[in-house]
Amino acid sequence: QVQLVESGGGLVQPGGSLRLSCAASGSIFSINDMKWYRQAPGKERELVATITSGGRTNYADSVKGRFTISRDNAKDTVYLQMDNLKFEDTAVYHCNVEVVIARRTPHRDYWGQGTQVAVSS
């Protein structure tokens, strides 16, 4: 079994910064893509950022230039550095990790429990 534990959410003023973390643990052979999603009240879930096992990154247009995704493969952890936060960044943020639990088996998706980010003055 694999567990994901998120941390780092909170309340911040516009223009402020937060750093989210998502640590995977358990039966992990390797990890492929690691992603951050968010869902605001009344809105559909949105893919915010992706980082591949090779370190290639991709971002939603709404966060480009403000958010940075990174990973520490030794710790099986993905981060989301969020700078210059805006009201519209308020949402519950979930990490999603593609975990391979054994050689030559397909990956399975695992989700973090979610962490609330609230941007308010």
Side-chain angles (χ1 to χ4, degrees), residues 1-116:
Q1 190 61 281
V2 174
Q3 298 81 38
L4 299 183
V5 177
E6 297 183 28
S7 61
L11 175 65
V12 64
Q13 292 185 338
S17 298
L18 285 174
R19 188 192 194 208
L20 307 183
S21 299
C22 171
S25 62
S27 300
I28 299 171
F29 175 75
S30 64
I31 294 178
N32 294 341
D33 290 358
M34 306 180 87
K35 303 173 184 177
W36 286 98
Y37 286 82
R38 68 185 180 187
Q39 187 163 21
K43 294 188 176 181
E44 293 188 355
R45 186 173 61 192
E46 174 188 21
L47 175 59
V48 175
T50 302
I51 185 166
T52 68
S53 57
R56 190 170 66 249
T57 59
N58 195 42
Y59 298 93
D61 287 342
S62 57
V63 307
K64 279 181 181 176
R66 300 188 298 119
F67 290 10
T68 303
I69 189 171
S70 61
R71 62 192 285 170
D72 184 334
N73 292 327
K75 297 181 178 179
D76 291 332
T77 299
V78 61
Y79 305 96
L80 186 68
Q81 176 67 41
M82 304 184 293
D83 297 317
N84 190 21
L85 282 159
K86 303 177 179 180
F87 292 119
E88 52 264 40
D89 294 319
T90 295
V92 176
Y93 285 70
H94 294 267
C95 59
N96 170 266
V97 177
E98 298 178 349
V99 178
V100 177
I101 63 172
R103 188 184 298 272
R104 297 180 182 174
T105 61
H107 71 260
R108 293 181 60 184
D109 279 0
Y110 290 88
W111 290 86
Q113 79 279 12
T115 185
Q116 177 71 53

